[in-house]
Amino acid sequence: MTNVSPQTKINKIVSLCKRRGYVFQSSEIYGGLKSSYDFGHLGVELKRNIADLWWQDLVHRRDDMVGFDAAIIMHPKVWQASGHLDGFSDPLVDCLDCKQRFRADKAPRHPAGATITYQVKNMEVEGKVAACGYVCPYCSSPRLGDERQFNLMFQTNLGAVNPVQDLLNAISSDDTLTLATIRQRLRKINKGSAVYLRPETAQAMFVQFMNVLQTTSKKPPFGIAQIGKSFRNEIVTEHFIFRACEFEQMEIEYFVPPDSWRKWLDYWCEQRLNWYRGFVNQPDNFRLRQHEEDELAHYAQACYDIDFKFPWGWDELEGIASRGDYDLNCHQRLSQTKLSYFDNQAGKRYLPYVIEPSAGLTRCVLAVLLDAYEESKGIDSHGREKTRVLLKLSPRLAPIKAAFLPLVKDEGQIKLARHLADSCRQQGVHVAYDDNQSIGKRYAKHDEIGTPFAITVDTQSCQDGLVTVRDRDTTTQTRMAGEAAVAKVVSCSSNLR
Ligand code: ATP
């Protein structure tokens, strides 16, 4: 593989995603919305394949897990109990020099009082790092505004009337409205009809714990698994789909007897790391990192991240936390509903502890694309240097499992290629029929989008039924019967490697 620099690699992925139909900027024709993305015909398949693999491995292959699919908008008390209303915030800071806005907890650290050199309007200046111990991530200036807490939850209002609009209308048409009245009405809006788009899928699984327990007859240790959209009004959206305001999560709440939390935390860390390593080309680019004491939430006994080596450095793909009985306890208290479990054998009632492996599906799509991207230099048939781009996706995750290609647009070849493609489709395997452009260009296109097999039908195929199966990764070509090629595609599409 040729050496591709990290920044170039992410740019190439972004470009490939748009060019081929993996990911598009949301609302592009209106200038785009930086914080949201749309998944095209290939992106949606890759995302679904990752989600299906997760669901199959974590729900269908286990006896101790049940699936769940909650509403995005829940009772506002859910967020009051969980602490999100008061505490789900990031520290927001404004740079007084370049005017950029950033997250204090992600800013570059320097010792307080250290002298730092930075640029203002192309001039080099010196400054001292303030007591906060960080500088602006964009221009390195230590001249910063105060830290403010910024709640990440998107708020909206339930009901046929928009009370905020009503108030605005009242303000513009009624000069007698006092500030006190406006404040009072705003408070009423917040208390009355305000609801929130969920910032994580997790809370619904705590809130419905008793219903799940009673309808499934499960007993700890057991888990609830859910895949779904979450929304966060992020201060900074960054690195393409890595941090967006609308994204998907794959979360598990695993309920265990309190005295066994350590064992189960270790178990889930190992399971989850091995899960990623099972379908990628470079398993060493996935690691487990234990949180420092000062990173831990006040209720967490311990927390680990599964990091991926992104082009900008190691960064989080999944968090695995031991949350104790914090969530069940909070909801039990505010709702006045018993959420404990009675252990018949031990004859005691307890609130289970929770281990939470919480993964980002959207982030996983990016990691899988980065892991699969390869380039190599070669010479084309005219003797010119060419770059071969290869997306080395596991066949299980590849959006299209095989491309059926008539060598030329001949009626017999088209008919046979279409027939073989349909045989795969009837077995539920997603394949493509493609007769556009030269065969070389079609091979290159399918290498670039990660199609594991290109199956070519030629003049001879129409007589003997044999086709050429080209392997994406090795480019070796094997002649075999059309039916055997179909069987190969069908069996490989359920394989991880
Ligand atoms: P970060 O530190 O990157 O902001 P987090 O620790 O707040 O992430 P969690 O609350 O633990 O994230 O959420 C679980 C997972 O959800 C993360 O590991 C990540 O994969 C995904 N995730 C969180 N926020 C976003 C986002 N804005 N865009 C895409 N994925 C996200």
Side-chain angles (χ1 to χ4, degrees):
M1 190 191 123
T2 52
N3 253 344
V4 184
S5 81
Q7 192 48 43
T8 312
K9 193 168 178 183
I10 190 86
N11 291 341
K12 288 187 176 206
I13 293 284
V14 175
S15 153
L16 186 150
C17 282
K18 176 171 161 63
R19 196 171 64 246
R20 293 300 188 187
Y22 268 98
V23 182
F24 306 119
Q25 182 77 68
S26 160
S27 331
E28 200 186 89
I29 61 166
Y30 291 105
L33 194 63
K34 212 171 139 239
S35 51
S36 321
Y37 293 89
D38 298 337
F39 287 79
H41 71 295
L42 298 178
V44 66
E45 295 291 337
L46 176 60
K47 181 152 67 70
R48 284 178 75 125
N49 289 344
I50 296 173
D52 285 351
L53 182 66
W54 185 90
W55 194 264
Q56 205 172 70
D57 287 347
L58 276 302
V59 182
H60 290 176
R61 286 187 202 275
R62 303 182 63 110
D63 189 33
D64 59 349
M65 196 76 73
V66 293
F68 195 67
D69 185 16
I72 285 172
I73 296 176
M74 292 187 273
H75 197 291
K77 281 197 170 165
V78 171
W79 308 113
Q80 185 187 336
S82 66
H84 281 81
L85 265 182
D86 293 329
F88 191 60
S89 52
D90 279 337
L92 167 77
V93 178
D94 288 314
C95 173
L96 301 181
D97 278 314
C98 71
K99 314 292 179 214
Q100 291 270 19
R101 195 159 261 188
F102 63 90
R103 266 175 73 172
D105 57 329
K106 301 268 179 194
R109 307 264 135 194
H110 292 281
T115 303
I116 191 149
T117 311
Y118 62 103
Q119 297 232 323
V120 180
K121 293 187 182 142
N122 290 332
M123 288 213 344
E124 206 149 89
V125 289
E126 274 191 354
K128 286 213 181 306
V129 177
C132 61
Y134 56 80
V135 296
C136 169
Y138 300 99
C139 72
S140 300
S141 167
R143 292 197 333 111
L144 308 170
D146 291 339
E147 244 178 72
R148 285 170 289 155
Q149 289 302 316
F150 175 78
N151 196 299
L152 299 178
M153 283 203 294
F154 281 102
Q155 180 179 331
T156 185
N157 292 88
L158 217 53
V161 284
N162 179 344
V164 178
Q165 192 57 51
D166 272 3
L167 179 58
L168 285 175
N169 293 344
I171 292 169
S172 56
S173 62
D174 181 355
D175 291 341
T176 63
L177 272 190
T178 63
L179 200 56
T181 319
I182 295 171
R183 280 206 187 110
Q184 193 194 9
R185 282 185 64 176
L186 275 173
R187 268 197 297 272
K188 212 169 143 196
I189 291 170
N190 252 344
K191 270 195 162 171
S193 59
V195 288
Y196 304 88
L197 301 188
R198 67 181 179 200
E200 58 176 38
T201 64
Q203 289 306 318
M205 297 185 268
F206 299 122
V207 173
Q208 295 285 14
F209 172 70
M210 205 35 94
N211 276 335
V212 174
L213 199 65
Q214 282 164 359
T215 52
T216 61
S217 311
K218 293 279 179 211
K219 48 185 176 209
F222 85 100
I224 308 179
Q226 181 173 206
I227 299 177
K229 288 234 172 181
S230 294
F231 303 82
R232 294 182 190 178
N233 200 358
E234 295 279 1
I235 294 171
V236 181
T237 51
E238 56 183 352
H239 305 312
F240 192 35
I241 53 174
F242 177 83
R243 188 181 305 285
C245 286
E246 178 176 343
F247 55 98
E248 278 172 79
Q249 292 184 305
M250 307 184 288
E251 293 198 297
I252 292 170
E253 304 306 327
Y254 198 76
F255 301 91
V256 303
D259 55 3
S260 65
W261 71 264
R262 183 76 242 184
K263 178 182 90 179
W264 285 109
L265 179 62
D266 293 344
Y267 167 86
W268 278 111
C269 285
E270 193 192 342
Q271 286 285 314
R272 297 300 303 139
L273 184 62
N274 288 341
W275 186 77
Y276 291 102
R277 288 182 166 171
F279 55 77
V280 292
N281 300 296
Q282 293 154 84
D284 289 346
N285 282 347
F286 292 76
R287 73 168 189 194
L288 198 63
R289 182 186 74 85
Q290 181 165 18
H291 278 210
E292 304 288 339
E293 276 292 315
D294 62 357
E295 282 180 273
L296 280 181
H298 63 94
Y299 48 79
Q301 287 104 13
C303 186
Y304 292 79
D305 280 349
I306 291 179
D307 289 343
F308 175 70
K309 203 173 184 180
F310 285 97
W312 56 92
W314 290 100
D315 218 331
E316 179 181 337
L317 208 53
E318 170 162 351
I320 306 170
S322 175
R323 301 177 63 96
D325 61 5
Y326 174 80
D327 304 272
L328 288 178
N329 214 343
C330 290
H331 289 299
Q332 178 167 269
R333 228 177 343 185
L334 192 66
S335 67
Q336 297 287 302
T337 307
K338 206 177 265 177
L339 294 177
S340 54
Y341 167 74
F342 185 73
D343 183 341
N344 272 324
Q345 253 171 350
K348 64 173 183 186
R349 178 172 285 284
Y350 65 86
L351 276 179
Y353 274 26
V354 170
I355 309 297
E356 180 187 75
S358 168
L361 171 56
T362 341
R363 260 183 213 184
C364 190
V365 170
L366 181 58
V368 165
L369 287 170
L370 285 162
D371 173 76
Y373 188 88
E374 278 190 14
E375 271 185 12
S376 57
K377 295 272 181 234
I379 303 291
D380 70 10
S381 52
H382 307 287
R384 288 177 303 223
E385 195 179 78
K386 63 167 188 187
T387 303
R388 177 174 180 241
V389 176
L390 176 65
L391 215 48
K392 215 167 158 187
L393 294 169
S394 131
R396 175 79 169 76
L397 301 185
I400 295 172
K401 310 303 183 191
F404 288 86
L405 317 170
L407 189 59
V408 291
K409 281 186 182 167
D410 161 85
E411 202 182 315
Q413 291 180 30
I414 291 173
K415 200 169 161 205
L416 180 56
R418 282 202 180 280
H419 166 73
L420 296 174
D422 283 343
S423 305
C424 288
R425 292 189 183 117
Q426 271 152 28
Q427 296 177 71
V429 176
H430 189 230
V431 296
Y433 166 85
D434 193 351
D435 61 14
N436 268 328
Q437 299 183 304
S438 72
I439 193 73
K441 285 199 171 137
R442 279 179 277 165
Y443 283 160
K445 169 185 157 188
H446 282 282
D447 285 347
E448 200 183 33
I449 65 174
T451 308
F453 302 107
I455 296 168
T456 307
V457 174
D458 52 30
T459 318
Q460 192 64 29
S461 313
C462 299
Q463 276 138 41
D464 60 14
L466 299 184
V467 295
T468 302
V469 179
R470 177 181 176 276
D471 183 283
R472 175 197 66 195
D473 300 342
T474 61
T475 69
T476 51
Q477 304 197 0
T478 316
R479 201 76 181 157
M480 65 177 77
E483 293 72 26
V486 167
K488 186 178 171 73
V489 172
V490 172
S491 92
C492 282
S493 66
S494 57
N495 286 347
L496 274 178
R497 284 179 194 260

Short mmCIF file of all heavy atoms in Angstrom, two decimals, residues 103 106 232 234 241-244 247 249 316-319 358-360 363, ligand 1:
data_model
loop_
_atom_site.label_atom_id
_atom_site.label_comp_id
_atom_site.label_asym_id
_atom_site.label_seq_id
_atom_site.Cartn_x
_atom_site.Cartn_y
_atom_site.Cartn_z
N ARG A 103 -14.67 23.67 22.93
CA ARG A 103 -14.92 22.94 24.18
C ARG A 103 -13.66 22.97 25.03
O ARG A 103 -12.60 22.51 24.59
CB ARG A 103 -15.27 21.49 23.88
CG ARG A 103 -16.75 21.22 23.79
CD ARG A 103 -17.01 19.80 23.36
NE ARG A 103 -16.72 18.84 24.43
CZ ARG A 103 -17.01 17.55 24.34
NH1 ARG A 103 -17.60 17.09 23.27
NH2 ARG A 103 -16.73 16.72 25.32
N LYS A 106 -11.60 19.75 25.58
CA LYS A 106 -10.88 19.15 24.44
C LYS A 106 -9.72 20.06 23.99
O LYS A 106 -9.07 19.77 22.99
CB LYS A 106 -11.83 18.95 23.25
CG LYS A 106 -13.03 18.06 23.54
CD LYS A 106 -12.74 16.61 23.22
CE LYS A 106 -13.93 15.73 23.54
NZ LYS A 106 -13.64 14.33 23.56
N ARG A 232 -27.43 15.61 19.89
CA ARG A 232 -26.69 16.48 20.82
C ARG A 232 -26.34 17.78 20.10
O ARG A 232 -25.81 17.74 19.00
CB ARG A 232 -25.40 15.82 21.31
CG ARG A 232 -25.68 14.61 22.16
CD ARG A 232 -24.40 13.98 22.70
NE ARG A 232 -24.73 12.70 23.31
CZ ARG A 232 -23.86 11.87 23.85
NH1 ARG A 232 -22.58 12.19 23.88
NH2 ARG A 232 -24.25 10.73 24.38
N GLU A 234 -23.99 19.79 19.71
CA GLU A 234 -22.55 19.85 19.97
C GLU A 234 -22.02 21.26 19.73
O GLU A 234 -22.39 21.91 18.75
CB GLU A 234 -21.81 18.88 19.04
CG GLU A 234 -22.13 17.41 19.25
CD GLU A 234 -21.36 16.80 20.41
OE1 GLU A 234 -20.58 17.52 21.06
OE2 GLU A 234 -21.55 15.59 20.65
N ILE A 241 -18.26 12.61 9.89
CA ILE A 241 -19.37 12.06 10.68
C ILE A 241 -18.96 11.67 12.10
O ILE A 241 -19.77 11.14 12.87
CB ILE A 241 -20.01 10.83 9.99
CG1 ILE A 241 -18.96 9.76 9.63
CG2 ILE A 241 -20.77 11.25 8.76
CD1 ILE A 241 -19.55 8.49 9.07
N PHE A 242 -17.69 11.94 12.48
CA PHE A 242 -17.23 11.55 13.82
C PHE A 242 -18.06 12.23 14.91
O PHE A 242 -18.49 11.60 15.87
CB PHE A 242 -15.75 11.90 14.00
CG PHE A 242 -15.23 11.60 15.38
CD1 PHE A 242 -14.82 10.33 15.71
CD2 PHE A 242 -15.16 12.60 16.36
CE1 PHE A 242 -14.35 10.03 16.99
CE2 PHE A 242 -14.69 12.31 17.63
CZ PHE A 242 -14.29 11.03 17.94
N ARG A 243 -18.25 13.53 14.77
CA ARG A 243 -19.05 14.26 15.75
C ARG A 243 -20.10 15.08 15.02
O ARG A 243 -19.79 16.08 14.37
CB ARG A 243 -18.17 15.17 16.61
CG ARG A 243 -18.92 15.80 17.78
CD ARG A 243 -18.04 16.72 18.60
NE ARG A 243 -16.85 16.08 19.09
CZ ARG A 243 -16.82 15.20 20.09
NH1 ARG A 243 -17.93 14.89 20.73
NH2 ARG A 243 -15.69 14.64 20.47
N ALA A 244 -21.34 14.62 15.07
CA ALA A 244 -22.43 15.33 14.41
C ALA A 244 -23.50 15.62 15.47
O ALA A 244 -23.39 15.16 16.61
CB ALA A 244 -23.00 14.46 13.30
N PHE A 247 -26.95 11.49 15.37
CA PHE A 247 -26.12 10.31 15.12
C PHE A 247 -26.82 9.08 15.67
O PHE A 247 -27.89 9.19 16.29
CB PHE A 247 -24.73 10.49 15.77
CG PHE A 247 -24.79 10.79 17.24
CD1 PHE A 247 -24.61 9.80 18.19
CD2 PHE A 247 -25.04 12.08 17.68
CE1 PHE A 247 -24.67 10.08 19.56
CE2 PHE A 247 -25.11 12.38 19.04
CZ PHE A 247 -24.92 11.38 19.97
N GLN A 249 -26.60 5.39 17.91
CA GLN A 249 -25.87 4.66 18.95
C GLN A 249 -26.32 3.21 19.00
O GLN A 249 -27.44 2.87 18.60
CB GLN A 249 -26.13 5.30 20.31
CG GLN A 249 -25.53 6.69 20.46
CD GLN A 249 -25.74 7.23 21.86
OE1 GLN A 249 -26.87 7.29 22.34
NE2 GLN A 249 -24.66 7.62 22.52
N GLU A 316 -12.37 8.22 20.78
CA GLU A 316 -13.38 7.27 21.30
C GLU A 316 -14.34 6.74 20.24
O GLU A 316 -14.89 7.48 19.44
CB GLU A 316 -14.18 7.98 22.40
CG GLU A 316 -15.27 7.13 23.01
CD GLU A 316 -16.06 7.85 24.08
OE1 GLU A 316 -15.56 8.83 24.67
OE2 GLU A 316 -17.21 7.42 24.32
N LEU A 317 -14.55 5.43 20.32
CA LEU A 317 -15.51 4.74 19.47
C LEU A 317 -16.67 4.24 20.33
O LEU A 317 -17.82 4.19 19.92
CB LEU A 317 -14.81 3.55 18.83
CG LEU A 317 -15.25 3.02 17.50
CD1 LEU A 317 -15.30 4.11 16.47
CD2 LEU A 317 -14.27 1.94 17.05
N GLU A 318 -16.31 3.84 21.54
CA GLU A 318 -17.31 3.27 22.45
C GLU A 318 -16.85 3.51 23.89
O GLU A 318 -15.65 3.46 24.18
CB GLU A 318 -17.40 1.75 22.18
CG GLU A 318 -18.22 0.99 23.20
CD GLU A 318 -18.67 -0.40 22.71
OE1 GLU A 318 -18.50 -0.71 21.50
OE2 GLU A 318 -19.19 -1.15 23.54
N GLY A 319 -17.82 3.77 24.77
CA GLY A 319 -17.50 3.90 26.19
C GLY A 319 -18.11 2.71 26.93
O GLY A 319 -19.23 2.29 26.62
N SER A 358 -21.52 1.44 25.43
CA SER A 358 -22.26 2.39 24.61
C SER A 358 -21.43 2.78 23.38
O SER A 358 -20.44 3.50 23.50
CB SER A 358 -22.57 3.62 25.48
OG SER A 358 -23.03 4.66 24.69
N ALA A 359 -21.87 2.30 22.22
CA ALA A 359 -21.06 2.49 21.00
C ALA A 359 -21.75 3.46 20.05
O ALA A 359 -22.97 3.56 20.02
CB ALA A 359 -20.87 1.16 20.30
N GLY A 360 -20.95 4.14 19.24
CA GLY A 360 -21.50 5.02 18.21
C GLY A 360 -21.52 4.26 16.89
O GLY A 360 -20.48 3.86 16.39
N ARG A 363 -19.99 6.62 14.18
CA ARG A 363 -18.53 6.65 14.32
C ARG A 363 -17.91 5.36 13.82
O ARG A 363 -16.82 5.34 13.26
CB ARG A 363 -18.15 6.84 15.79
CG ARG A 363 -17.78 8.24 16.09
CD ARG A 363 -17.33 8.45 17.49
NE ARG A 363 -17.75 9.80 17.87
CZ ARG A 363 -17.47 10.37 19.02
NH1 ARG A 363 -16.76 9.72 19.92
NH2 ARG A 363 -17.88 11.59 19.29
P1 ATP B 1 -17.14 12.41 23.24
O1 ATP B 1 -16.20 12.42 24.43
O2 ATP B 1 -16.46 12.08 21.95
O3 ATP B 1 -18.00 13.64 23.17
P2 ATP B 1 -18.97 10.94 24.84
O4 ATP B 1 -18.05 10.34 25.86
O5 ATP B 1 -19.76 12.13 25.21
O6 ATP B 1 -18.16 11.21 23.46
P3 ATP B 1 -20.95 8.92 25.13
O7 ATP B 1 -21.90 9.80 25.82
O8 ATP B 1 -20.18 7.92 25.95
O9 ATP B 1 -19.93 9.80 24.28
O10 ATP B 1 -21.71 8.19 23.93
C1 ATP B 1 -21.42 6.88 23.52
C2 ATP B 1 -20.94 6.84 22.09
O11 ATP B 1 -21.82 7.58 21.23
C3 ATP B 1 -19.56 7.48 21.88
O12 ATP B 1 -18.53 6.58 22.19
C4 ATP B 1 -19.60 7.81 20.41
O13 ATP B 1 -19.25 6.68 19.62
C5 ATP B 1 -21.07 8.13 20.15
N1 ATP B 1 -21.25 9.59 20.09
C6 ATP B 1 -21.38 10.44 21.13
N2 ATP B 1 -21.55 11.71 20.69
C7 ATP B 1 -21.53 11.64 19.34
C8 ATP B 1 -21.66 12.62 18.29
N3 ATP B 1 -21.88 13.89 18.56
N4 ATP B 1 -21.59 12.19 17.00
C9 ATP B 1 -21.39 10.88 16.70
N5 ATP B 1 -21.27 9.92 17.64
C10 ATP B 1 -21.33 10.30 18.94
#
